[in-house]
Amino acid sequence: KMLTDHIAEIFDVLSDVEKQVLNMRFGLAGGQSRTLKEVGKAIGKSKSTALRIEHRALVKIQTPKNIAK
């Protein structure tokens, strides 16, 4: 429960599509992790676009101003 709350707090800085991509890629919503091709198809984008969205989301959650103290 605490981990789920912490992830939700971190994800607050992300757009809906960024949240969706990370959830699918890493299986965070209780599912299996998916390939970039599967993620791209699910969001109606290409594999390379899914990768860019994933990268942007990971950068956002690692940016010090977005990390809760």
Side-chain angles (χ1 to χ4, degrees):
K1 175 86 173 148
M2 288 177 50
L3 180 59
T4 304
D5 292 342
H6 188 65
I7 290 171
E9 186 178 311
I10 291 169
F11 273 30
D12 281 346
V13 300
L14 302 177
S15 70
D16 289 342
V17 73
E18 290 168 339
K19 290 175 191 175
Q20 185 180 8
V21 167
L22 291 186
N23 277 323
M24 286 189 287
R25 281 291 285 155
F26 301 107
L28 298 175
Q32 287 186 327
S33 59
R34 297 188 186 182
T35 66
L36 284 169
K37 185 176 182 179
E38 292 170 328
V39 172
K41 186 175 182 179
I43 64 171
K45 305 287 182 188
S46 68
K47 180 172 85 169
S48 61
T49 300
L51 177 61
R52 284 194 298 274
I53 293 168
E54 177 186 335
H55 176 73
R56 182 176 65 224
L58 291 173
V59 167
K60 274 186 182 181
I61 64 175
Q62 293 176 40
T63 301
K65 71 177 184 173
N66 294 328
I67 297 173
K69 295 178 171 69

